[in-house]
Amino acid sequence: MTNGDMRYGRCGACGGGEVFRGEYVAQGGLRPAGAGAFGTKQAVFDAFVCAACGNTQLHVRLDPKTSAHIRQKLAWVPPQQGMG
C-alpha cells in the first residue's frame, strides 16, 4: 500500500495500480460544511479514481485566491498525533 496519495499511481484503499486522473468541477463552489451557497468561483479538482475498487481522491487546484479563501472561510482541522 501507499501513504494513501493516489497522485503517485497506487490506490491507498486496495493497493491496486489502476489509478486514472480526471477533472471535477464543483458546481456549488468551495464553502464551509453546513453553509448555504455563497459567491465563490467554482472549485476545480484533480480527480484520481481507482478502476479496481472505485476509491476516489480529489485535490483542489490551488492559486493564491483559492488558498486565501480556504484559510478565511473553512474550518481548520488541527493535526492529530495518533488515530488509536
Side-chain angles (χ1 to χ4, degrees):
M1 299 273 181
T2 67
N3 66 354
D5 192 337
M6 292 172 60
R7 291 177 288 189
Y8 298 105
R10 179 102 18 223
C11 178
C14 75
E18 293 185 80
V19 175
F20 295 86
R21 180 179 174 207
E23 186 176 87
Y24 174 78
V25 179
Q27 298 300 313
L30 194 56
R31 61 184 186 222
F38 58 87
T40 64
K41 67 179 185 174
Q42 292 178 328
V44 178
F45 296 85
D46 287 319
F48 296 86
V49 182
C50 176
C53 74
N55 186 41
T56 303
Q57 280 185 359
L58 300 176
H59 295 269
V60 70
R61 293 183 186 167
L62 289 176
D63 57 34
K65 184 176 178 180
T66 303
S67 290
H69 175 79
I70 289 168
R71 289 183 179 108
Q72 293 170 5
K73 302 290 184 180
L74 303 183
W76 179 59
V77 179
Q80 297 182 13
Q81 291 299 318
M83 299 302 290

